[in-house]
């Protein structure tokens, strides 16, 4: 890392806030009623990021696995709640299976990347493990939310077809396999799309951040490639797990669709 | 003739209304049990309970003397096969729809798809064999309900639960369907039919008929 990266002073930080005025003016001129939310959002973003800056500095200094692990699990739990917040028609509480899927996919891929590929010393280096797991979680959370939403809405909309297949003697898995595949694809598509256009249409945030922080672009690209591949793997595992665990919740012990999944 | 399906005090509350269904009857090999009653009396609910698509809140069912939950639901639904009033057609051609059940794991030990049998049934129900190549989503209601009946008979269930099978049919096709149903139950050994119908005309071609009259029942259901 080049130490000559350009620091942002307090004055420069304050200047950046003036950009909020552009959004505020547009909101006011069009009568969008978003000014209050915008100002509150700006304050929250500043406070939250400042706090996490201090917390991360402290955790990086501490560099203790017994502190890092609970933090990652807490992140998984918050991501699970967020991923399921806007999903309706769920027969049970989807948070536990979402937590399981997110945690498993993040840990499987995250540990391979951190321990085998990046290999910091010590292997649980907070400076590496927290950003890597955070990126995995953020992406898996969105993918899982898409998969879960697609699975529930498709099966609810096609409950007559599912019941017809059950009448033929289909197992629940056979009755929903078409929708399971669509749900996994729905979760994975944005990640695959981003693999296609990276470097052509978009320069990812992490890579941009590293370049601004003074890293050689070629080194930043290597990191970004590893990150994108690991995100794709984590998303695939997470989506597969969430639909594999969730479809069972839609059936009773007698292998019939539960009431909330029928029209 | 031996009893194939025997249900006792099979009951369930109907939606949010203060009504319920609670019925007992049995059907023997070669026989047809007809369920009659006004709209909303729970006829379809009774059939769906028998198909184990919805849970019963009371009562029990015996299939050839075996308690129903001693039989896996997948095997049960193939043997006690429910044909809904609204025919369900999947994406693909009519033939794809007729083949569909034979791709399932539960059909490994059952009959295999026979285009010849299929065309015989289609001829009986006045459906041209060219229909096999047609997109199933474009069938009329009457065509789809006859294809759904053929699909049900081809998987060779022991009991067929027919929910108003003539609802979408004109008089000629109604007669054809009821004659096919009557012939199937007579000519295929060890088979029975339970049929829900509104029309008295539907029943005049049927022999060895038992009738279950359903009405509105008020009150809550108690297990027992």
């Amino acid at each position: 890392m080049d130490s000559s990266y350009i620091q942002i002073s307090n004055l420069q930080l304050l200047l950046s806030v003036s950009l909020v005025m552009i959004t505020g003016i547009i909101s006011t001129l069009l009568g969008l009623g978003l000014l209050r939310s915008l100002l509150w959002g700006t304050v929250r973003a500043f406070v939250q990021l400042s706090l996490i800056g201090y917390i991360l500095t402290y955790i990086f200094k501490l560099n203790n696995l017994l502190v890092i692990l609970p933090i990652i699990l807490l992140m998984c739990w918050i991501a699970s709640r967020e991923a399921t917040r806007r999903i309706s028609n769920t027969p049970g509480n989807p948070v536990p299976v979402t937590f399981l899927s997110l945690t498993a996919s993040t840990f499987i891929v995250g540990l391979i990347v951190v321990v085998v590929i990046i290999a910091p010393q010590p292997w649980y280096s907070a400076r590496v493990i927290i950003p890597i797991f955070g990126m995995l979680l953020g992406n898996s959370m969105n993918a899982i939310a898409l998969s879960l939403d697609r699975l529930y809405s498709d099966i609810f909309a096609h409950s007559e077809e599912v019941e017809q297949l059950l009448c033929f003697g289909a197992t629940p898995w056979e009755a929903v396999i078409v929708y399971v595949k669509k749900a996994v694809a729905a979760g994975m598509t944005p990640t695959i799309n981003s693999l296609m256009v990276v470097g052509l249409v978009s320069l990812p945030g992490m890579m941009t951040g590293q370049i601004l922080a003074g890293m050689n672009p070629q080194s930043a690209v290597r990191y970004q490639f590893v990150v994108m591949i690991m995100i794709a793997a984590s998303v695939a595992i997470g989506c597969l797990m969430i639909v594999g665990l969730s479809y069972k919740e839609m059936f009773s012990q007698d292998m019939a669709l539960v009431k909330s999944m029928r029209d | 003739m031996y009893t194939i399906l025997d249900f006792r005090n099979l009951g369930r509350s109907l939606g949010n209304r203060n009504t319920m269904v609670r019925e007992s009857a049995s059907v023997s090999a070669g026989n047809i049990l007809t369920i009659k009653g006004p709209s909303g009396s729970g006829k379809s609910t009774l059939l769906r309970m028998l198909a184990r698509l919805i849970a019963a809140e009371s009562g029990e069912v015996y299939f050839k003397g075996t308690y129903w939950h001693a039989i896996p639901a997948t095997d049960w639904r193939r043997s006690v096969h429910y044909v809904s009033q609204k025919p369900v057609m999947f994406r693909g051609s009519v033939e794809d729809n007729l083949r569909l059940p034979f791709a399932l794991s539960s059909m490994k030990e059952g009959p295999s798809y026979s285009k010849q049998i299929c065309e015989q049934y289609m001829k009986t129900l006045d459906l041209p064999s060219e229909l096999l190549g047609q997109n199933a989503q474009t069938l009329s209601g009457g065509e789809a309900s006859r294809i759904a009946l053929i699909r049900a008979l081809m998987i060779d269930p022991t009991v067929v639960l027919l929910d108003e099978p003539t609802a979408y049919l004109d008089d000629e096709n109604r007669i054809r369907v009821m004659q096919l149903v009557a012939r199937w139950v007579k000519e295929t050994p060890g088979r029975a039919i339970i049929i829900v119908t509104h029309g008295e005309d539907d029943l005049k071609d049927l022999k060895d008929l038992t009738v279950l009259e359903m009405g509105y029942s008020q009150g809550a259901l108690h297990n027992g």
Side-chain angles (χ1 to χ4, degrees):
Chain A
M1 185 86 62
D2 190 339
S3 60
S4 65
Y5 74 94
I6 304 161
Q7 290 245 20
I8 294 182
S9 67
N10 288 341
L11 184 65
Q12 287 165 315
L13 202 62
L14 204 63
L15 273 174
S16 74
V17 176
S18 63
L19 291 171
V20 174
M21 284 169 62
I22 295 174
T23 327
I25 289 167
I26 291 171
S27 171
T28 310
L29 284 178
L30 295 179
L32 300 178
L34 293 172
L35 194 61
R36 185 189 287 260
S37 305
L38 175 70
L39 292 175
W40 178 230
T42 306
V43 172
R44 274 190 63 162
F46 179 76
V47 173
Q48 284 165 201
L49 287 173
S50 302
L51 273 176
I52 201 68
Y54 283 115
I55 292 169
L56 285 178
T57 307
Y58 177 72
I59 292 167
F60 289 177
K61 204 171 163 188
L62 215 59
N63 209 23
N64 185 335
L65 189 60
L66 294 177
V67 176
I68 296 166
L69 196 62
I71 288 172
I72 291 173
L73 289 174
L74 179 67
M75 287 160 69
C76 288
W77 182 253
I78 294 168
S80 308
R81 290 181 63 88
E82 198 54 42
T84 53
R85 193 183 291 278
R86 277 172 280 279
I87 297 168
S88 52
N89 293 332
T90 54
N93 179 7
V95 175
V97 286
T98 309
F99 177 73
L100 194 64
S101 308
L102 266 176
T103 309
S105 59
T106 304
F107 271 77
I108 290 169
V109 177
L111 286 177
I112 292 172
V113 170
V114 171
V115 178
V116 181
I117 299 174
I118 302 179
Q121 287 300 327
W123 68 268
Y124 54 82
S125 167
R127 184 176 288 276
V128 174
I129 213 166
I130 289 181
I132 292 286
F133 276 53
M135 277 189 288
L136 286 173
L137 264 176
N139 286 277
S140 296
M141 179 186 79
N142 290 332
I144 278 176
L146 284 173
S147 276
L148 206 55
D149 188 40
R150 183 65 181 266
L151 185 72
Y152 282 116
S153 56
D154 260 7
I155 292 180
F156 183 73
H158 296 95
S159 60
E160 287 177 350
E161 284 94 330
V162 172
E163 286 199 330
Q164 183 63 59
L165 287 165
L166 293 175
C167 287
F168 293 142
T171 59
W173 177 251
E174 285 175 318
V176 298
I177 180 75
V178 174
Y179 311 111
V180 162
K181 285 180 184 174
K182 283 182 182 172
V184 174
M188 288 174 63
T189 300
T191 307
I192 292 170
N193 286 348
S194 68
L195 282 175
M196 299 286 186
V197 299
V198 67
L200 298 175
V201 177
S202 64
L203 286 183
M206 192 201 85
M207 188 173 122
T208 314
Q210 283 181 313
I211 293 170
L212 284 174
M215 187 184 260
N216 180 322
Q218 284 176 341
S219 300
V221 161
R222 282 169 181 264
Y223 261 93
Q224 189 58 49
F225 180 74
V226 171
V227 163
M228 295 201 75
I229 295 299
M230 79 177 187
I231 285 171
S234 172
V235 160
I237 295 171
C239 290
L240 197 63
M241 275 191 76
I242 193 71
V243 294
L245 293 170
S246 299
Y247 90 90
K248 290 180 181 172
E249 307 263 324
M250 303 175 192
F251 291 89
S252 67
Q253 275 193 324
D254 203 31
M255 295 192 241
L257 268 183
V258 296
K259 191 166 183 280
S260 62
M261 295 309 298
R262 295 195 301 261
D263 283 339
Chain B
M1 283 292 171
Y2 60 95
T3 301
I4 291 189
L5 202 69
D6 179 15
F7 53 95
R8 300 169 193 171
N9 295 319
L10 194 62
R12 184 182 165 95
S13 307
L14 294 174
N16 296 323
R17 292 165 290 170
N18 190 28
T19 54
M20 59 174 204
V21 52
R22 188 173 198 163
E23 299 294 342
S24 301
S26 64
V27 63
S28 303
N31 281 12
I32 297 172
L33 172 67
T34 306
I35 300 172
K36 289 162 63 176
S39 295
S41 57
K43 302 184 296 297
S44 297
T45 301
L46 182 60
L47 287 195
R48 288 170 61 79
M49 276 194 286
L50 287 170
R52 285 165 65 174
L53 288 174
I54 51 174
E57 291 164 8
S58 74
E60 51 206 23
V61 186
Y62 292 89
F63 177 78
K64 295 181 182 176
T66 304
Y67 182 65
W68 60 340
H69 289 297
I71 300 170
T74 47
D75 296 344
W76 178 273
R77 293 190 190 114
R78 231 209 77 207
S79 300
V80 183
H81 180 64
Y82 173 69
V83 183
S84 66
Q85 182 184 351
K86 189 180 161 196
V88 177
M89 289 291 126
F90 296 86
R91 272 188 169 188
S93 68
V94 171
E95 189 167 18
D96 291 338
N97 270 266
L98 290 162
R99 280 181 180 275
L100 182 66
F102 298 93
L104 300 171
S105 57
S106 63
M107 288 299 286
K108 276 181 187 153
E109 291 164 12
S112 49
Y113 174 75
S114 160
K115 194 170 180 178
Q116 196 187 349
I117 295 173
C118 175
E119 284 176 336
Q120 280 171 9
Y121 278 133
M122 289 177 78
K123 197 175 170 190
T124 309
L125 295 182
D126 195 33
L127 293 166
S129 58
E130 293 77 50
L131 211 62
L132 286 172
Q134 189 175 319
N135 181 349
Q137 309 284 332
T138 63
L139 294 178
S140 70
E143 287 169 336
S145 66
R146 280 175 285 165
I147 292 294
L149 176 65
I150 293 171
R151 188 171 58 185
L153 297 183
M154 285 182 68
I155 64 170
D156 195 27
T158 308
V159 183
V160 186
L161 310 171
L162 294 172
D163 195 351
E164 302 205 35
T166 60
Y168 292 93
L169 301 177
D170 56 32
D171 280 352
E172 281 183 12
N173 282 312
R174 185 183 53 72
I175 292 166
R176 287 190 184 102
V177 161
M178 295 314 289
Q179 283 176 342
L180 173 64
V181 163
R183 212 181 70 212
W184 179 82
V185 79
K186 282 287 152 228
E187 294 178 0
T188 322
R191 301 294 188 273
I193 287 175
I194 300 179
I195 183 168
V196 163
T197 181
H198 276 299
E200 284 295 325
D201 286 349
D202 286 354
L203 307 177
K204 66 186 180 192
D205 294 317
L206 304 179
K207 296 190 177 84
D208 295 322
L209 206 65
T210 311
V211 177
L212 174 66
E213 282 278 1
M214 287 177 64
Y216 295 113
S217 306
Q218 297 286 323
L221 202 64
H222 300 286
N223 290 334

